[in-house]
Amino acid sequence: MNIDVPVTDIAGVVDALRARNVDVVRVSYSDLIGVDRGRDVLLEELGSAMGHGIAFCRAVFHTSPVGDVVPVSGGLESGLPDIKAVPDLATLSPLPWEPGAAWCVADTHLHDGSPAPEGPRQVARQVAARLETLGLRAVIGPELEFYLLEQDEGSAAGWRRYADEPGNVYVVGRKGDPRGTLLTMLRYLRDAELQVTAANHEFCPGQFEINLNHSEMVDAADRAFRMKSAVQEIARHEGLQATFMAKPFNDEGGSGFHLHVSLVDQSGANVFGDPEGEHGLSDTGRWAIAGVLAHAPALAAILNPTINSYKRFGPDTLAPWLIDWGLDNRSAMVRIPPERGSASRMEVRLGDATANPYLAMAAVGAAVYLGVRDQLEPTAPLEGYGYDPSAAPMLPQSLPEALDALEADKELGEVLGEFFVEAFLTYKRNEVERFSRYITDWEFREYAYHL
Ligand code: GLU
Ligand code: MG
């Protein structure tokens, strides 16, 4: 938000916001699963919030989507202590669907002033710092897919697919989006300064995609985190629900979170490509690809973080199934788009839209770091249409399998932070445990009549 005042001049920032008729600042931070938590702070309180931080119970990081406090270290067993969220005023932006409000993200600190080690923004920052030790920065362009749902009082779920008509992939306008909601979102997201570039109808009925411009990884993660929150908010303003759930329907495809990842040196020059290198890729680019392949089973735990995520994978889905890479090949887990020069990059297609943007980018950044550090070499690229299980190793088939892979991948864990990995594993194993005891509608339909 251009306020013409240095962000260190807090009184100046407050005056500048007041002059723009802002009376509330929404302060957001990400919990472990990427849910936007925070407070709406009256403008006159912003100065003191900057001074002492805004108190939140630390266990909010570890609250399940259904509101249970999961017993993660530092939370419940420590007596539910506070953390402090300190607004990062460099991220101030308008909040155009709530006139009179501005928006920023916060950094989270423990009481001794150190960063909360499970804070997703902190995890992303740490990985960016590790890449810096190799003289590299990861630049990431996120693409997020989601479904829009409309209320359906007659169904058990209460929601059905919005505009549930077939064949609307890349169809523009009101045919696949009768209320024009996507265009409303695109404009709002632009005005919220999230640097969105384009929006389109995706492959499945009621499924849409919005692309964000690329930028350095912590900034890209901030914008993707805010974009997911914003899409859900704007949908609510329209009487709809937006879901980033990986595979919400049996009869339609899942929603991906593709990351276009390049590497730049200290001068900002792309070092992923090299016109002299094989396939136009540099050594660094090749090693980065190999890092993502080598650490893919552990990455899945973070990029595919729900029980439902593993139902998105499979042959003929446009989602991956095997740990492979290919040149402009959408059936591979890592696709190298055809552009070279300053646009040389890999598209990591592994993640689904439920992934926490900070953690997804941190995990991929960590795998890239390890690939480059260890000068790993990738296998030969996939030729033709993929999904041949004899040609490449398979991704984990379930969340428990992926969590075990994350626990076993000590190198990745060291880069992401051991406390964070422990917190994530505890949180997610609690989810697996709760699910294992829950009777699903499939079981009842399958067994209750004949058995
Ligand atoms: N929806 C697919 C996925 O789950 C991706 C479709 C596409 O290529 O954009 O990853
Ligand atoms: Mg897509």
Side-chain angles (χ1 to χ4, degrees):
M1 189 168 182
N2 187 8
I3 45 175
D4 300 323
V5 177
V7 293
T8 46
D9 174 6
I10 295 162
V13 171
V14 169
D15 287 344
L17 290 173
R18 191 171 292 118
R20 283 162 180 73
N21 295 321
V22 168
D23 67 343
V24 166
V25 177
R26 176 162 298 174
V27 179
S28 292
Y29 71 95
S30 166
D31 70 6
L32 221 47
I33 55 173
V35 173
D36 178 354
R37 311 276 178 180
R39 281 209 172 95
D40 288 339
V41 177
L42 286 170
L43 187 62
E44 53 268 34
E45 299 298 324
L46 186 66
S48 59
M50 291 302 299
H52 53 62
I54 307 169
F56 291 90
C57 177
R58 185 173 180 181
V60 173
F61 271 135
H62 330 129
T63 303
S64 79
V66 292
D68 300 320
V69 178
V70 180
V72 169
S73 174
L76 207 54
E77 107 292 345
S78 303
L80 299 168
D82 270 353
I83 53 161
K84 301 277 188 190
V86 179
D88 178 352
L89 296 182
T91 66
L92 263 179
S93 75
L95 189 54
W97 52 96
E98 298 289 4
W103 192 16
C104 70
V105 296
D107 284 307
T108 48
H109 299 275
L110 304 182
H111 258 283
D112 64 5
S114 63
E118 73 271 53
R121 196 173 196 234
Q122 173 60 20
V123 176
R125 274 194 203 287
Q126 265 166 226
V127 172
R130 286 300 277 274
L131 281 162
E132 290 275 352
T133 65
L134 300 175
L136 296 173
R137 288 188 192 149
V139 171
I140 302 187
E143 296 180 356
L144 274 155
E145 298 173 347
F146 57 92
Y147 277 90
L148 288 177
L149 312 176
E150 59 191 355
Q151 232 148 8
D152 178 12
E153 262 140 42
S155 80
W159 296 90
R160 63 165 176 254
R161 283 194 293 268
Y162 163 68
D164 194 8
E165 304 293 344
N168 276 325
V169 58
Y170 286 127
V171 168
V172 291
R174 301 284 167 131
K175 208 194 264 181
D177 177 14
R179 303 194 199 179
T181 300
L182 189 65
L183 197 49
T184 303
M185 284 181 173
L186 183 67
R187 290 191 169 120
Y188 269 143
L189 295 173
R190 173 201 59 201
D191 295 346
E193 299 174 358
L194 298 185
Q195 297 172 50
V196 285
T197 57
N200 61 277
H201 198 297
E202 244 303 329
F203 196 78
C204 304
Q207 191 186 33
F208 300 89
E209 170 169 322
I210 297 180
N211 301 329
L212 293 109
N213 210 346
H214 54 273
S215 69
E216 184 277 321
M217 76 180 235
V218 178
D219 177 72
D222 277 342
R223 291 184 295 111
F225 160 67
R226 299 170 78 164
M227 179 271 199
K228 288 177 73 173
S229 167
V231 162
Q232 291 183 328
E233 278 292 284
I234 300 163
R236 280 187 193 100
H237 278 256
E238 302 277 311
L240 299 171
Q241 181 177 318
T243 182
F244 292 89
M245 189 172 160
K247 181 78 164 78
F249 302 107
N250 282 308
D251 60 343
E252 294 293 347
S255 292
F257 181 11
H258 300 167
L259 299 175
H260 290 254
V261 183
S262 63
L263 290 166
V264 298
D265 64 15
Q266 296 303 315
S267 72
N270 183 306
V271 292
F272 202 92
D274 175 0
E276 308 295 312
E278 197 184 1
H279 311 303
L281 301 172
S282 67
D283 289 346
T284 304
R286 231 176 38 251
W287 297 332
I289 295 165
V292 172
L293 299 177
H295 295 278
L299 292 183
I302 292 174
L303 277 77
N304 311 100
T306 68
I307 289 157
N308 174 262
S309 293
Y310 295 79
K311 296 173 183 168
R312 166 175 164 263
F313 292 159
D316 308 325
T317 55
L318 288 178
W321 190 41
L322 307 176
I323 299 171
D324 53 5
W325 70 292
L327 300 163
D328 198 7
N329 191 329
R330 281 190 171 73
S331 58
M333 188 192 88
V334 175
R335 164 179 173 256
I336 310 302
E339 297 81 11
R340 293 291 183 272
S342 63
S344 304
R345 65 192 189 278
M346 63 176 149
E347 180 191 20
V348 179
R349 296 172 63 82
L350 175 60
D352 66 66
T354 36
N356 179 329
Y358 292 104
L359 301 181
M361 293 188 204
V364 169
V368 164
Y369 165 80
L370 292 169
V372 175
R373 185 196 71 182
D374 301 342
Q375 304 193 351
L376 300 180
E377 287 296 338
T379 47
L382 168 72
E383 299 282 349
Y385 193 57
Y387 304 121
D388 170 2
S390 67
M394 205 171 271
L395 280 162
Q397 296 297 290
S398 68
L399 182 60
E401 209 185 303
L403 294 172
D404 289 348
L406 176 61
E407 186 171 34
D409 192 334
K410 300 295 179 206
E411 287 182 318
L412 196 82
E414 189 272 320
V415 183
L416 291 171
E418 276 136 25
F419 186 96
F420 157 72
V421 172
E422 186 56 40
F424 188 84
L425 289 173
T426 306
Y427 179 95
K428 284 291 164 184
R429 285 180 171 149
N430 171 279
E431 186 172 322
V432 169
E433 151 70 9
R434 285 185 291 119
F435 179 71
S436 72
R437 284 186 283 104
Y438 194 83
I439 315 305
T440 63
D441 60 347
W442 184 90
E443 287 162 282
F444 194 82
R445 207 174 37 250
E446 186 85 0
Y447 304 135
Y449 184 70
H450 278 295
L451 304 185

